[in-house]
C-alpha cells in the first residue's frame, strides 16, 4: 500500500479536525458513514484525483463537516475551538442568493401548478410552469458556475440549518424529524410512482397529455437516481427539490379532487330529486339522471334538426352553459363564453402530423377542431289523431204523433 495519502484521506483528515470537539467515538461513526461515498466519488473522478476536485463537488472539508454536524443534530463548535479563518475578501452573495431563491421560487411554482392540475384534472394548468423555467435555468447556471459552497454559506441557509439542528435536539420534533429522515429512501420511489400515475390520470382526461408523460417518466427516474446521492453532492438539490415539490402539490391536489368528488356524490344521494353542479368557471351545469349534459339537440316534427334554439326554464331563466372553442395556436379547448344557445359544435381534441393529417399514425402536434354537425339522426314518432268519438243519443221523435182517427 502506498504511503502517499489519497485525496479521500486528506479530505477526511480535515473533516476530522473540524469535528475535533466531538467525542472520538462519534467522530468515527460519522466518518464511517461518509467514507464509502467519498471513495465512490474518488473512483468516479479517476486515478490521481486531487483534493480540489472533491472540494469542487462537496465544498470545503470544514463546510462539509458543519453540514454533517447539523444533519446529525450535534451542537455547533464551542467558542475557542480552532477555526479556519478566511483572510481573503468575502465574496459577493448576489449570485449565490439568486441561485438559492431561484430554486425556492421554482419549487413553489411547480407545487402550485401541480396542485391546480390535480384538482381540475386538466393538463393545461401546467402550462404556467413554463414561465418559471428561465428562473430555474438561471439558478442552475449560477450553481454550476459558482458551486454549492457559496449557497450553503448564505445567512438564510445557515439559519435554516441551525433551526433544523435545534429541532432535532427537541424531544418531540427530534423524533418526528428522525422518522421523516428514515423515510427518505421510500420517498424517492413514491415520487416516481406518483409522477407516472399523475401522467396517466391526465391522459384519461385529455389525449394531449401524452406529450407530458415522457417528461414525467424522466423526472421519476431522476428522483430515484438523485435522491440517495443528496448527502454526498448537494448540487443534486436542484433536481430533488423541484421534483419533490411537484409531487407534494400533486398529492394535495389529488386529495382535494377526491374530497370534492365524494362531497358531490353525497349531496346527490341525499337529495336525489335535485342535483346542481358547476363547472370550473362557476357556471351551473345541466344534469339528467345524475349525468352532466353538455349539449342539446332539437328536432322538428319531420325529424329535421333545428339550429339557433334558446332554452329557458319554467320561470323564464336562461339555461346558460359554458361555451367552448378551439385555441388554434396550442390546439387545446378553451372557454369562449357562456350562453343558452343550442346546439353547440362538438370539440374534438387530437394530434396532427407534419402534413396536417388529423389523428394520423405519425401525429404528434396537439390539435383541436369543431364539428357543427348533428352526430345522430332522430326518428320522430308520428302521433295520429284519435278518431272522433261518436255519441249515440237515444232515439227521440220530435215530430208530432199521428192522431188516431176516431169513428
Amino acid at each position: 500500500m502506498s504511503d502517499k495519502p489519497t485525496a479521500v484521506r486528506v479530505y477526511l483528515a480535515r473533516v476530522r479536525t473540524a469535528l475535533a470537539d466531538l467525542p472520538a467515538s462519534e467522530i468515527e461513526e460519522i466518518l464511517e458513514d461518509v467514507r464509502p461515498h467519498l471513495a465512490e466519488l474518488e473512483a468516479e473522478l479517476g486515478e490521481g484525483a486531487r483534493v480540489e476536485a472533491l472540494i469542487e463537488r462537496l465544498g470545503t472539508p470544514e463546510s462539509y463537516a458543519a453540514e454533517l454536524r447539523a444533519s446529525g443534530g450535534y451542537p455547533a463548535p464551542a467558542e475557542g475551538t480552532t477555526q479556519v479563518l478566511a483572510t481573503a475578501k468575502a465574496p459577493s452573495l448576489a449570485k449565490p442568493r439568486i441561485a438559492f431563491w431561484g430554486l425556492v421560487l421554482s419549487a413553489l411554482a411547480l407545487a402550485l401548478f401541480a396542485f391546480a392540475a390535480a384538482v381540475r384534472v386538466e393538463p393545461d394548468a401546467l402550462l404556467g410552469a413554463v414561465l418559471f423555467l428561465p428562473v430555474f435555468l438561471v439558478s442552475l447556471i449560477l450553481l454550476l458556475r459558482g458551486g454549492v459552497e457559496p449557497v450553503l454559506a448564505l445567512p438564510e441557509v445557515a439559519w435554516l440549518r441551525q433551526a433544523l439542528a435545534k429541532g432535532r435536539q427537541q424531544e418531540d420534533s427530534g423524533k418526528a424529524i428522525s422518522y421523516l429522515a428514515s423515510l427518505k429512501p421510500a420517498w424517492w420511489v413514491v415520487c416516481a410512482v406518483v409522477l407516472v400515475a399523475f401522467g396517466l390520470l391526465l391522459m384519461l382526461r385529455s389525449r394531449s397529455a401524452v406529450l407530458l408523460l415522457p417528461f414525467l417518466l424522466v423526472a421519476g427516474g431522476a428522483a430515484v437516481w438523485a435522491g440517495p446521492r443528496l448527502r454526498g453532492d448537494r448540487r443534486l438539490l436542484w433536481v430533488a427539490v423541484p421534483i419533490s415539490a411537484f409531487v407534494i402539490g400533486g398529492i394535495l391536489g389529488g386529495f382535494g379532487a377526491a374530497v370534492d368528488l365524494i362531497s358531490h356524490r353525497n349531496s346527490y344521494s341525499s337529495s336525489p330529486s335535485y342535483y346542481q353542479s358547476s363547472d370550473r368557471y362557476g357556471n351551473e351545469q345541466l344534469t339528467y339522471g345524475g349525468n352532466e349534459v353538455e349539449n342539446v339537440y332539437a328536432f322538428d316534427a319531420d325529424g329535421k334538426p333545428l339550429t339557433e334554439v334558446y332554452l329557458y326554464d319554467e320561470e323564464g331563466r336562461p339555461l346558460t352553459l359554458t361555451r367552448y372553442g378551439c385555441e388554434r395556436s396550442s390546439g387545446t379547448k378553451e372557454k369562449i363564453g357562456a350562453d343558452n344557445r343550442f346546439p353547440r359544435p362538438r370539440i374534438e381534441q387530437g394530434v396532427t402530423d407534419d402534413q396536417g393529417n388529423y389523428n394520423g399514425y405519425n401525429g404528434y402536434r396537439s390539435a383541436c377542431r369543431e364539428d357543427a354537425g348533428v352526430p345522430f339522426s332522430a326518428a320522430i314518432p308520428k302521433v295520429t289523431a284519435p278518431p272522433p268519438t261518436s255519441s249515440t243519443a237515444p232515439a227521440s221523435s220530435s215530430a208530432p204523433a199521428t192522431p188516431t182517427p176516431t169513428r
Side-chain angles (χ1 to χ4, degrees):
M1 183 176 179
S2 174
D3 294 335
K4 182 179 179 180
T6 63
V8 170
R9 291 171 59 187
V10 174
Y11 193 93
L12 285 177
R14 291 176 57 180
V15 172
R16 183 189 296 273
T17 301
L19 299 174
D21 60 302
L22 299 178
S25 59
E26 300 289 344
I27 296 176
E28 289 301 325
E29 182 178 349
I30 294 174
L31 295 182
E32 284 298 324
D33 289 340
V34 302
R35 187 176 283 113
H37 175 70
L38 292 178
E40 179 182 346
L41 184 58
E42 185 181 36
E44 179 183 337
L45 295 173
E47 186 176 357
R50 300 174 60 84
V51 178
E52 289 76 9
L54 291 177
I55 292 177
E56 182 179 353
R57 295 287 295 272
L58 304 175
T60 64
E62 291 73 26
S63 65
Y64 190 62
E67 187 175 342
L68 294 174
R69 183 191 297 270
S71 63
Y74 298 104
E79 295 184 2
T81 305
T82 303
Q83 300 291 326
V84 177
L85 301 179
T87 57
K89 181 180 179 180
S92 172
L93 298 180
K95 292 182 179 180
R97 186 158 282 149
I98 293 175
F100 172 72
W101 286 108
L103 172 65
V104 173
L105 291 177
S106 300
L108 290 177
L110 282 176
L112 291 176
F113 287 118
F115 177 85
V119 167
R120 294 157 49 181
V121 197
E122 285 286 347
D124 297 346
L126 296 176
L127 295 177
V130 178
L131 299 176
F132 287 84
L133 182 60
V135 177
F136 177 75
L137 291 178
V138 170
S139 172
L140 182 61
I141 291 173
L142 292 177
L143 169 76
L144 296 178
R145 288 184 176 180
V148 73
E149 175 61 23
V151 177
L152 296 177
L154 289 173
E156 52 265 43
V157 178
W159 175 87
L160 182 62
R161 293 165 64 181
Q162 290 177 2
L164 189 61
K166 290 181 180 179
R168 288 192 178 96
Q169 295 175 4
Q170 302 295 327
E171 182 177 358
D172 295 335
S173 59
K175 291 181 179 179
I177 293 174
S178 300
Y179 176 73
L180 293 176
S182 66
L183 299 178
K184 283 182 180 179
W187 169 249
W188 306 118
V189 178
V190 170
C191 286
V193 173
V194 170
L195 288 171
V196 175
F198 189 68
L200 295 177
L201 179 63
L202 293 180
M203 285 177 58
L204 294 177
R205 185 65 178 266
S206 174
R207 296 177 61 182
S208 61
V210 69
L211 302 176
L212 182 65
L213 188 59
F215 296 97
L216 296 177
L217 290 173
V218 171
V224 175
W225 175 82
R229 295 171 171 78
L230 272 177
R231 188 169 185 176
D233 191 351
R234 291 300 180 181
R235 294 178 301 177
L236 295 178
L237 285 170
W238 271 250
V239 177
V241 170
I243 294 176
S244 296
F246 185 92
V247 170
I248 292 174
I251 291 175
L252 294 178
F255 180 76
V259 171
D260 183 65
L261 179 62
I262 294 173
S263 63
H264 276 160
R265 287 184 175 178
N266 290 339
S267 63
Y268 173 67
S269 60
S270 61
S271 56
S273 60
Y274 176 75
Y275 177 69
Q276 178 180 359
S277 64
S278 300
D279 62 11
R280 58 193 176 108
Y281 299 105
N283 298 307
E284 295 183 359
Q285 296 295 289
L286 292 178
T287 57
Y288 181 78
N291 297 319
E292 182 179 320
V293 177
E294 297 182 354
N295 211 343
V296 176
Y297 298 92
F299 297 83
D300 63 11
D302 297 325
K304 180 180 179 180
L306 302 178
T307 59
E308 299 294 328
V309 175
Y310 294 82
L311 300 184
Y312 295 84
D313 65 7
E314 69 276 5
E315 297 182 5
R317 296 174 299 185
L319 302 181
T320 302
L321 300 183
T322 302
R323 179 177 290 274
Y324 295 95
C326 287
E327 207 287 315
R328 301 298 179 185
S329 60
S330 63
T332 57
K333 184 174 72 172
E334 66 172 356
K335 177 185 177 182
I336 59 175
D339 55 49
N340 65 327
R341 178 167 52 91
F342 297 92
R344 281 97 181 278
R346 290 180 297 128
I347 308 300
E348 297 181 355
Q349 291 184 271
V351 292
T352 58
D353 55 20
D354 293 332
Q355 284 72 39
N357 298 320
Y358 190 77
N359 282 348
Y361 178 75
N362 295 321
Y364 66 95
R365 186 186 298 112
S366 296
C368 178
R369 64 182 184 181
E370 301 179 10
D371 184 0
V374 179
F376 59 89
S377 59
I380 307 299
K382 299 298 182 181
V383 179
T384 58
T389 58
S390 57
S391 58
T392 304
S396 63
S397 175
S398 60
T402 304
T404 304
T406 61
R407 295 177 181 247

